[in-house]
Amino acid sequence: MTQTSAAPVTVAITRRVRPEDELLMQAWVHAGTSLAERFPGFLGTGWVRPAAGSEDWHMLYRFDSPASLARWEDSPERTRWLRSAQDLVEHTRVEHRTGIEGWFDEPRERSVSDLAPPAPARWKQAVVIWVAFFPTNLLFTWLLTPLLGHWPLVLRVLVSTLLLTPLMTYLVLPQVTRLLQPWLAGRARNRAG
């Protein structure tokens, strides 16, 4: 990993693929990951589809700094890899992010060159996550205990996290983030905020 004082950068991309091309898409994604892994500063990648048969593929990749990301994005390897999917994928959205901010917002079209507003202080981000997670987890624990209370702890936690993760990602955190946006943005420029 490259030593740098810059923040890691995550790129979120939505690509549209015909459902009948799912196997080709999986192979193409695997090939791109194999290429990116060879670049200094690469931290990981992943993808998810909203539902089986969906045309949209939400993809992420992360590098340890903007400079490492630029080396990958400007590389001939990536150019050839992208060109190989010309008839396979349609790029519908690309966003660069440097923290957890924005992960819970609805996706929107933005140019990669648009400057993102300054992120809220990390402690404010942590407060938002806690404010969303604590009551949601408490309610789920209360509701599921009569049904799953006799199950081993590992299985109860597994079921709980499988249910809570999408609920938090798509419903609770976006609502709490919107509700607390004035507080989050109030001192976003002052990291000590």
Side-chain angles (χ1 to χ4, degrees), residues 56-126:
D56 289 332
W57 292 58
H58 303 288
M59 308 170 97
L60 302 171
Y61 58 91
R62 189 166 173 87
F63 280 83
D64 67 354
S65 69
S68 295
L69 174 64
R71 278 191 292 281
W72 160 246
E73 290 188 332
D74 297 338
S75 71
E77 294 91 341
R78 181 175 178 267
T79 300
R80 283 192 299 274
W81 172 68
L82 288 173
R83 199 176 310 128
S84 73
Q86 256 178 309
D87 297 326
L88 179 65
V89 302
E90 172 191 343
H91 303 278
T92 61
R93 179 179 62 96
V94 177
E95 294 183 41
H96 288 202
R97 297 174 174 167
T98 57
I100 66 167
E101 67 282 351
W103 281 110
F104 308 109
D105 297 339
E106 291 296 317
R108 60 187 179 272
E109 287 293 323
R110 286 194 344 194
S111 166
V112 173
S113 61
D114 289 347
L115 292 176
R122 291 278 183 198
W123 71 268
K124 284 187 174 186
Q125 295 174 37

Side-chain angles (χ1 to χ4, degrees), residues 87-170:
D87 297 326
L88 179 65
V89 302
E90 172 191 343
H91 303 278
T92 61
R93 179 179 62 96
V94 177
E95 294 183 41
H96 288 202
R97 297 174 174 167
T98 57
I100 66 167
E101 67 282 351
W103 281 110
F104 308 109
D105 297 339
E106 291 296 317
R108 60 187 179 272
E109 287 293 323
R110 286 194 344 194
S111 166
V112 173
S113 61
D114 289 347
L115 292 176
R122 291 278 183 198
W123 71 268
K124 284 187 174 186
Q125 295 174 37
V127 168
V128 169
I129 292 169
W130 184 87
V131 164
F133 184 74
F134 177 73
T136 306
N137 188 39
L138 183 63
L139 177 64
F140 259 72
T141 301
W142 181 71
L143 291 172
L144 292 178
T145 296
L147 301 170
L148 309 177
H150 61 284
W151 288 19
L153 177 63
V154 171
L155 290 179
R156 288 191 317 249
V157 172
L158 175 68
V159 168
S160 175
T161 56
L162 284 172
L163 293 172
L164 286 176
T165 300
L167 182 70
M168 291 292 296
T169 301
Y170 296 106

Side-chain angles (χ1 to χ4, degrees), residues 2-83:
T2 304
Q3 295 297 320
T4 180
S5 61
V9 180
T10 301
V11 179
I13 301 173
T14 300
R15 292 185 166 114
R16 188 155 292 140
V17 179
R18 293 178 302 273
E20 61 268 20
D21 290 333
E22 178 178 345
L23 289 176
L24 289 172
M25 182 63 173
Q26 289 177 7
W28 183 73
V29 168
H30 180 69
T33 300
S34 294
L35 288 171
E37 286 172 339
R38 295 183 175 108
F39 279 75
F42 178 75
L43 298 176
T45 187
W47 57 270
V48 67
R49 294 169 64 197
S54 171
E55 293 183 347
D56 289 332
W57 292 58
H58 303 288
M59 308 170 97
L60 302 171
Y61 58 91
R62 189 166 173 87
F63 280 83
D64 67 354
S65 69
S68 295
L69 174 64
R71 278 191 292 281
W72 160 246
E73 290 188 332
D74 297 338
S75 71
E77 294 91 341
R78 181 175 178 267
T79 300
R80 283 192 299 274
W81 172 68
L82 288 173
R83 199 176 310 128

